[in-house]
Amino acid sequence: GILAAVFAALGLLSSFTMGNIVQMNAAADAAFSTFHISKPFFGIVVAAFCAFVIFSGFRGISRVTSIAIPAVSALYLFLCVRAVLIDAAGIPQVMGEILRGAFSVSAAGGGIFGFLLSGALRHGVAKGSFTHEAGCGTAPMAHVNSDTKIPAKQGLLGIFEVFFDTIVMCTLTGLVILLACDGEFITDNGMLLVIYAFSKYYGKKAAYLISASILLFAFATVLCWAYYGKTCLSYFIKTKRAETIYLAAYCATTAAGALMSQGLVWAFSDISVAVMTILNLTAVLWLRKEVRAETESAGLCLPRRRRKRERMASSAR
């Protein structure tokens, strides 16, 4: 239908912007600032690697991401936990500052003002959605290729991904930064701020570790979005030639993305994510009964009637 076509078109275009240019630009900055690799050379090398992996098919993408992402995530998680444990005595003070800052009168006034202007709200929601893509509707394109025979279990894995990415990884990163900076304003550059924070605990070598992590995360994201874009393209055209042209254009964008400005790219990405999320959540709400039935049949939650009976029995006791 029309809504599916709009979603596929936005997903196809987003693969070039949000899934490619934004990632490559951040990775190129990290490579240049830490390893002193020129951005044009970096873009060409990464594009060549992407072409090699992408043209090997989804299995090639899956093999790379299934090894790279868990390995980098485990290393990053270990470094975060170790850093937090080193300064564990400062956690109560940091948490107190967070709560005081969040619920203070000035924060409330700023929140209301920002809501009225819609600036803070829009940017906060947009960047949050960009981080975890929850509700955007892109992740199912990858999950559908899993080997599981129970879709509900795969859905729970998708929920866990969002939890781990946002609640665990982002919270630990924030704690490391706050503990390391100790209330001082160091820089407004996110990547440099993270590097500074980890450098306090691991010395100058932290720059190499964090930059390498950024490069691997960006590379894996570019590979995943290549598959997303190819899937969206197949909604309109299902020919091998069209797929080859798209993948060639995608790899060329990977090389150019290291040099391109992110201004208009971010604006389009924010809009496309918002529209895709609205369309996907509308479909999810429309199919909520089917989702509940599938989850109950898989034994992952109690049927509604049984839950009601158990609540009544519990209240009677």
Side-chain angles (χ1 to χ4, degrees):
I2 297 178
L3 296 181
V6 172
F7 182 91
L10 289 173
L12 182 61
L13 294 174
S14 294
S15 68
F16 289 100
T17 57
M18 183 171 67
N20 194 328
I21 296 175
V22 172
Q23 307 297 330
M24 281 299 300
N25 202 275
D29 286 341
F32 179 76
S33 63
T34 304
F35 303 106
H36 307 293
I37 301 175
S38 67
K39 292 185 178 181
F41 178 76
F42 176 79
I44 293 173
V45 171
V46 174
F49 274 107
C50 283
F52 175 76
V53 177
I54 287 171
F55 281 100
S56 66
F58 179 75
R59 290 185 177 180
I61 297 176
S62 179
R63 282 196 297 269
V64 172
T65 55
S66 63
I67 296 174
I69 294 300
V72 177
S73 298
L75 175 61
Y76 185 80
L77 185 63
F78 170 77
L79 295 176
C80 286
V81 172
R82 184 176 182 273
V84 170
L85 291 177
I86 291 175
D87 274 348
I91 293 179
Q93 179 182 350
V94 168
M95 296 303 297
E97 292 176 357
I98 293 174
L99 294 175
R100 284 193 298 271
F103 298 105
S104 65
V105 176
S106 60
I112 295 172
F113 186 68
F115 178 79
L116 293 175
L117 293 179
S118 300
L121 180 65
R122 180 178 67 82
H123 285 291
V125 173
K127 297 304 179 286
S129 299
F130 177 83
T131 301
H132 49 64
E133 298 180 35
C136 184
T138 53
M141 288 185 273
H143 284 287
V144 74
N145 289 278
S146 63
D147 296 330
T148 183
K149 296 181 180 179
I150 304 176
K153 286 187 176 181
Q154 194 66 25
L156 289 179
L157 179 59
I159 295 173
F160 175 76
E161 288 176 357
V162 176
F163 168 80
F164 185 80
D165 172 52
T166 307
I167 304 300
V168 178
M169 299 290 276
C170 291
T171 300
L172 284 173
T173 302
L175 285 175
V176 172
I177 292 174
L178 292 173
L179 290 170
C181 294
D182 195 22
E184 297 180 11
F185 181 78
I186 306 301
T187 176
D188 58 355
N189 186 302
M191 183 186 69
L192 295 180
L193 186 60
V194 173
I195 291 176
Y196 170 84
F198 279 89
S199 297
K200 177 182 177 180
Y201 301 101
Y202 303 106
K204 294 183 179 180
K205 61 184 178 182
Y208 298 100
L209 292 173
I210 299 303
S211 296
S213 299
I214 292 173
L215 297 182
L216 288 174
F217 279 129
F219 183 65
T221 302
V222 170
L223 294 181
C224 289
W225 268 97
Y227 179 76
Y228 292 165
K230 186 180 72 170
T231 303
C232 292
L233 176 67
S234 65
Y235 181 83
F236 303 104
I237 307 174
K238 295 183 178 180
T239 63
K240 190 67 177 178
R241 182 180 180 182
E243 178 183 313
T244 302
I245 293 175
Y246 163 75
L247 293 178
Y250 188 85
C251 292
T253 304
T254 301
L259 302 172
M260 295 176 67
S261 173
Q262 295 190 40
L264 292 176
V265 172
W266 271 113
F268 173 79
S269 297
D270 291 347
I271 295 173
S272 62
V273 169
V275 176
M276 292 170 69
T277 301
I278 291 172
L279 293 176
N280 183 63
L281 291 181
T282 300
V284 170
L285 291 174
W286 185 268
L287 298 171
R288 63 187 183 281
K289 293 182 179 179
E290 286 79 359
V291 173
R292 184 191 304 120
E294 174 64 31
T295 307
E296 291 175 354
S297 65
L300 300 177
C301 72
L302 296 176
R304 176 180 292 182
R305 292 181 178 178
R306 184 177 172 183
R307 291 200 304 269
K308 185 176 180 180
R309 289 197 302 268
E310 290 190 355
R311 284 198 299 268
M312 293 176 63
S314 178
S315 61
R317 288 195 295 268

